[in-house]
Each structure stands twice: as C-alpha cells, then as structure tokens.
Amino acid sequence: KGWTGWPRISTDRIAGAGTRALRGLLRDMRHNSRLAVQTRAALHQTGALHVAMTVEMPLCSILSAMEVVGVRFNQRALTEHTPAIEAELTSLTKQAQSIAATPFNLSSPE
C-alpha cells in the first residue's frame, strides 16, 4: 500500500502494454546510442568516417525507400546488355586474379 493507504497501482496497469513497449524502446535507444558512439569512434580511428558520413549515410534513406517501394528495370534492355556485362565481369575477374597472383572466387565472402 502507498502512503495514502490505498493499494499501489502500477503504470503498466493504468497505461497497459504501451508502457512496456515504450520501456523496451527506451532500452533499445540507449543501446543504439552506445553502439553509435563506438561505431563512430572506430570509423574515425580507421579513417573511414568521412566516407561513411558523405557517401554511405546519405544512401541509407535512398536504399531504404528502394527496399520499401521496389525498383523497376527494363527486362529487354537487361537481356540485351547481359553478354557485354558478363564479358566485362570475366575480364575484371581475370585482372583481379592476375594482380593477386592466384585464382580466387570473387563471390566468396572469405
């Protein structure tokens, strides 16, 4: 019981699940804030902060919109250009392997 003698009523009981959701959101925001500080420091330390802020961050909203809305492409034009694209990709792959002095799979994440 509270100082009034009446039973205590939790905020969750009054406001419902929305309060729990807000608490979770605040927890996530605190975590993301700490992560942002650490990421910014790491980018600065490696010299990549300028690229991240001037190239990558501005693209985030564009890529996000593309993910939501989708993109349109011309199937006929893509089919027409596919042989030239494949030839250029093969040439660039050979150049990369020549520079590396060993064959490797460019599609491999390793």
Side-chain angles (χ1 to χ4, degrees):
K1 293 188 178 188
W3 62 272
T4 62
W6 292 90
R8 291 180 188 234
I9 300 174
S10 70
T11 307
D12 286 353
R13 189 166 172 204
I14 295 169
T19 302
R20 288 187 294 278
L22 283 175
R23 285 190 183 129
L25 179 62
L26 288 172
R27 183 191 65 244
D28 292 348
M29 288 172 63
R30 283 189 211 102
H31 173 74
N32 289 342
S33 178
R34 286 191 299 271
L35 184 60
V37 169
Q38 293 169 356
T39 301
R40 186 179 183 92
L43 288 169
H44 179 70
Q45 185 177 14
T46 60
L49 183 60
H50 178 72
V51 172
M53 300 305 289
T54 59
V55 177
E56 293 186 11
M57 292 303 290
L59 282 176
C60 286
S61 61
I62 295 167
L63 294 174
S64 176
M66 288 171 67
E67 186 176 350
V68 171
V69 176
V71 294
R72 177 183 250 174
F73 65 95
N74 183 326
Q75 179 69 39
R76 187 168 35 101
L78 181 63
T79 302
E80 289 173 8
H81 293 288
T82 296
I85 293 169
E86 288 175 345
E88 180 72 12
L89 182 59
T90 300
S91 173
L92 291 171
T93 300
K94 288 178 182 176
Q95 287 178 24
Q97 291 174 345
S98 174
I99 292 168
T102 185
F104 61 92
N105 182 357
L106 283 174
S107 299
S108 174
E110 296 179 16

